[in-house]
Amino acid sequence: MAVDYTVIVVYLAGMLAMGWWGMRRARSKSEFLVAGRRLGPAMYSGTMAAIVLGGASTIGGVGLGYQYGLSGAWMVFTIGLGLLALSVFFSARIARLKVYTVSEMLDLRYGGRAGVISGVVMWAYTLMLAVTSTIAYATIFDVLFDMNRTLAIILGGSIVVAYSTLGGMWSITLTDMVQFVVKTIGVLLLLLPIAVVKAGGFSEMKAKLPTSYFDPLGIGGETIFTYVLIYTFGMLIGQDIWQRVFTARSDTTAKWGGTVAGTYCLAYALAGAVIGTAAKVLFPKLGSPDDAFATIVKQELPVGIRGLVLAAALAAVMSTSSGALIACATVANNDIWSRLRGVVRRDEGAHDEVKGNRAFILIMGVAVIGTAIALNNVVEALTVAYNLLVGGLLVPILGGLLWRRGTVQGALASVVVGGLAVIGLMASYGILANEPVYYGLAASLAAYVVVSLVTRPTDEAVLAAWRERLAGRGAASTEEPAAVGA
């Protein structure tokens, strides 16, 4: 295992080194939070793919393949579909807004007063996303070092918090690009073909497994629909995803770079399901489907390659964890703390704004690690987060982008009614039930439409300013440095 340990240690040291290097680049709010809004297509595509394909997509995706066969790809597949929809239909407009958070977009569209409430919902979502990603370190370090769960979470979480705090989005962008390469090599180019060969090829897999394992809809139509509702729509409105869109140097980069990343996600989804199916042939009686990834890596891969593939799993977890962490801190500082204090933010070159956002990443990072140690049921926590996100924020965000008649009163009613409906229905039906997000979303839509129609239309001056921003003619960035990753 010495070679495997060396690979992992070198990888972790490299992440910290990039954090230190990123600190030298992040000298303004724009640089720290959105990498100066200057990523070119190559770097934008790689980092966007890295953040959406986390531990759930890698370890969880293989686990679903182990349990359901090829149809286990649907969870990650719907993530890719969401990213494609965001990139093709919305990312160009989002990039032209030149904002930092989803709540700022809502304030621009509706004329203020929507930020704090929507910020609280978005903060809860990003916090739980960071927590669930951080917990995944325990699985990986247990395979590598037989490490105690708490120590594993502290070690992995501290490294992510360190490089994220040092350089903000610049550090996260650099590390995500490396993580994208490591994941591509480790999962797609190494683990996938090795797993299929070890299982005897597709003909042997078909001979040993039930036919349902090769049915594209074997996981069930209702499950697929729920995945679409939660993950595809979740990709359209999550702060962690939008904050990456804000890093694009142009709306064209956001559109086409995101399309490439979404297509990559579709391939990654199928690869995970195939690896899980192969693991079912090799290890038919595992205690939990989520053990499939670690087991096939530990038992079937040669020394050195095993370390690289485990580094790929670690890369998947770290990319999502760091992206969720900076999103959580950005929302906490810009949408909640600053608004509650009544602070008017200064121009983005102010040094104290970098210090303030850096402090919030550190504070949120400590909170994430502490919550991850204390939390027992990861699936329930993530389900609550996504239900609140989709049930409370999907309608006012997409309504603001698509429906001119939507008003701030309608948006606030939609957030409150949808959020409360989801919480009440989860208490009634159970956290993991499908009904809360179905009915919560319907209640949110009804509240938005009815309240918007019975209240005064949004002031024409607000809509005119909104159209100017959507066209890219308002509040242009004060910095126009050379693009990166062209």
Side-chain angles (χ1 to χ4, degrees), residues 256-318:
W256 295 111
T259 301
V260 171
T263 304
Y264 177 90
C265 291
L266 302 183
Y268 199 88
L270 184 59
V274 171
I275 292 168
T277 304
K280 184 67 175 180
V281 173
L282 296 168
F283 311 100
K285 298 187 182 297
L286 291 179
S288 168
D290 286 340
D291 293 336
F293 180 88
T295 302
I296 195 169
V297 170
K298 194 172 184 178
Q299 300 294 330
E300 299 296 335
L301 297 187
V303 173
I305 295 213
R306 179 170 52 209
L308 183 59
V309 172
L310 286 171
L314 199 57
V317 174
M318 283 186 160

Side-chain angles (χ1 to χ4, degrees), residues 13-23 163 167 170-171 174-176 178:
M15 297 300 99
L16 290 173
M18 289 183 185
W20 183 263
W21 188 86
M23 183 175 66
Y163 73 68
W170 261 124
S171 294
L174 294 170
T175 54
D176 275 2
V178 173

Side-chain angles (χ1 to χ4, degrees), residues 297-375:
V297 170
K298 194 172 184 178
Q299 300 294 330
E300 299 296 335
L301 297 187
V303 173
I305 295 213
R306 179 170 52 209
L308 183 59
V309 172
L310 286 171
L314 199 57
V317 174
M318 283 186 160
S319 57
T320 298
S321 181
S322 58
L325 176 59
I326 193 171
C328 178
T330 302
V331 170
N333 187 18
N334 291 267
D335 292 338
I336 302 175
W337 179 245
S338 294
R339 293 168 191 259
L340 292 177
R341 291 176 62 214
V343 174
V344 178
R345 294 184 297 278
R346 290 171 287 240
D347 289 339
E348 56 185 278
H351 179 63
D352 63 335
E353 289 201 88
V354 174
K355 291 173 62 179
N357 282 291
R358 184 173 280 136
F360 263 86
I361 290 180
L362 181 59
I363 294 168
M364 290 298 105
V366 172
V368 164
I369 293 172
T371 307
I373 292 171
L375 200 63

Side-chain angles (χ1 to χ4, degrees), residues 244-265:
R244 292 310 174 97
V245 176
F246 301 151
T247 66
R249 79 172 187 221
S250 68
D251 51 6
T252 302
T253 297
K255 181 176 181 178
W256 295 111
T259 301
V260 171
T263 304
Y264 177 90
C265 291

Side-chain angles (χ1 to χ4, degrees), residues 58 62 182-193 264 268 271-272 275 293 308-309 312-313 316:
T58 304
V62 172
V182 171
K183 278 192 288 192
T184 300
I185 295 173
V187 175
L188 294 183
L189 301 184
L190 292 176
L191 182 58
L192 174 61
Y264 177 90
Y268 199 88
I275 292 168
F293 180 88
L308 183 59
V309 172

